[in-house]
């Protein structure tokens, strides 16, 4: 695919979420920032914990040569050691610091990894609904993303038989977010283990490793006693990718990591390859100052109860609306169905006209739903959800009658978003 072709396609579809973000900023300029209820992009609203700020000031105050200089492309040892400790705490699993690469967020880690494992024409499986950017991460690495259907009635849990049907000689990896963006579903350890066993079986059959990639930036944002699960206990051909964008609210600082299963067959070749990919893709090394800070405060997070409070506000409003949804146990999203008789794009545009912003399910490969992000201030969530409830009730099963009134919306919806 030529670059202009790719740019064109990306402009047209991938950036629905970004477009909404920009649209939200415009609407706020017109109507005032407290009158627009933007629940679209997953940009964490909480301030990082006080320990982060204290450590940041102390690290930035060091007065040594190279304090802002290059560091090794795989990351500084202290940061990799602290990530190793974090994985041990979260999953009781040992990944030595040598098997960890500090990266430019989780997105940087996914791109680095795909550069190392993809041959042109390879297929990457994922579960529907999937994080919108996977489509593009796969495409720019030369692979094709193959989304595996799931059912709302099964709480979006993929079925093993279905997964099995999608594996073939072109399959190189399975990539999924856990907890899931956009549903908030946490995959159970036994499910992950079954997927790992299936991949191992097929790796033997096709005489090549098929990798299991857990995209885990929400692993510490779990509720109601849910526990983070890991690909490391499921197959040795596994990688866990994560970042501090969400659980420490550092999305703009671009700091994350890639951790590799220590018994991976090609472990010794992987780390130099990943390190080189990190360099030549232009990331060079993950943000040095952030690596220093993270080393010292990796065990802190934002106040997760604050997100739980927000989760409950949204869940309660959805119950009042009558919109069917799967109760999220992790991350900060929920993915309800749209009113009967209308598309997600139509519903999102009507909400937008009422100054409420949510992302249409089509952006996650799953039309018929909207994603609501609850990483927003309480005013936005309470007011935004009140409008959501009213709008849902007003339109559920009644869109055909109201269509004339909203003709302009249904006709122009695709251009408007
Ligand atoms: C599932 C998932 N993976 C990766 C990312 C990218 O995270 P980062 O900001 O750490 O690159 C996001 C961001 O929203 C995400 O939701």
């Amino acid at each position: 695919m030529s670059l202009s072709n790719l740019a064109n396609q990306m402009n047209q579809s991938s950036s629905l979420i970004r477009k909404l973000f920009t649209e939200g900023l415009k609407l706020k300029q017109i109507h005032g920032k407290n009158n627009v209820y933007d629940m679209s992009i997953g940009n964490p609203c909480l301030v990082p914990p006080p320990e982060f700020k204290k450590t940041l000031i102390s690290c930035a105050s060091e007065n040594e040569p190279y304090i802002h200089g290059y560091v090794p492309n795989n990351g500084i040892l202290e940061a990799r050691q602290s990530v190793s400790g974090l994985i041990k705490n979260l999953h009781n699993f040992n990944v030595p610091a040598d098997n960890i690469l500090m990266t430019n967020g989780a997105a940087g880690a996914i791109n680095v990894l795909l550069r190392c494992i993809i041959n042109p024409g390879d297929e990457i499986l994922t579960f529907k609904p999937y994080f919108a950017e996977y489509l593009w991460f796969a495409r720019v690495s030369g692979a094709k993303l193959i989304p595996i259907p799931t059912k709302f009635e099964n709480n979006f849990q993929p079925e093993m038989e279905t997964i099995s049907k999608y594996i073939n000689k072109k399959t190189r990896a399975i990539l999924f977010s856990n907890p899931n963006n956009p549903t908030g579903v946490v995959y159970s350890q036994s499910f992950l283990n079954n997927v790992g066993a299936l991949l191992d079986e097929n790796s033997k059959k096709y005489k090549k490793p098929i990798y299991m990639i857990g995209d885990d930036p929400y692993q510490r944002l779990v509720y109601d006693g849910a526990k983070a699960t890991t690909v490391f206990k499921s197959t040795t051909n596994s990688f866990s990718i994560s970042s501090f964008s969400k659980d420490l609210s550092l999305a703009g600082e671009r700091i994350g990591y890639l951790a590799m299963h220590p018994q991976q067959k090609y472990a010794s070749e992987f780390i130099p390859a990943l390190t080189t990919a990190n360099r030549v893709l232009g990331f060079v090394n993950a943000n040095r100052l952030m690596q220093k800070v993270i080393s010292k405060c990796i065990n802190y997070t934002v106040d997760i109860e604050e997100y739980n409070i927000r989760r409950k506000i949204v869940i309660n409003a959805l119950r009042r609306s009558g919109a069917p949804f799967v109760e999220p146990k992790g991350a900060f999203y929920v993915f309800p169905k749209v009113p009967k008789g209308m598309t997600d794009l139509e519903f999102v545009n009507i909400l937008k006209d009422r100054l409420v912003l949510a992302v249409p399910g089509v952006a996650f490969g799953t039309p018929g739903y909207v994603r609501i992000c609850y990483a927003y201030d309480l005013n936005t969530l309470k007011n935004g959800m009140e409008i959501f409830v009213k709008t849902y009730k007003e339109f559920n099963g009644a869109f055909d009658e109201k269509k004339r009134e909203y003709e302009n919306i249904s006709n122009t919806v695709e251009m408007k978003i």
Side-chain angles (χ1 to χ4, degrees), residues 123-127 134 144-148 163 166-168 171-176 199 210:
E123 294 183 351
I124 301 172
L125 305 179
T126 193
F127 305 134
Y134 290 167
K144 190 168 172 203
L145 189 74
I146 308 288
I148 299 175
I163 302 174
Y166 281 80
I167 301 178
N168 61 46
T171 310
R172 173 59 67 190
I174 188 160
L175 163 68
F176 55 92
L199 295 186
I210 301 178

Side-chain angles (χ1 to χ4, degrees), residues 42 104-108 110 131 134 137 177 179-181 215 217-218 242-246 251 254-256 333 371:
N104 195 281
I110 298 172
F131 176 47
Y134 290 167
F137 295 162
S177 63
N180 177 281
N181 173 4
D215 179 18
Y218 302 100
S242 192
S243 74
F244 306 97
S245 296
K246 313 291 175 172
R254 313 306 305 135
I255 180 74
Y333 309 102
R371 187 190 76 178

Side-chain angles (χ1 to χ4, degrees), residues 37 351 354-356 382-392:
Y37 309 113
L351 287 173
R354 298 175 177 194
L355 305 183
V356 172
K382 285 179 184 159
N383 292 315
M385 287 311 293
E386 273 322 301
I387 299 171
F388 182 99
V389 172
K390 277 200 198 111
T391 312
Y392 187 92

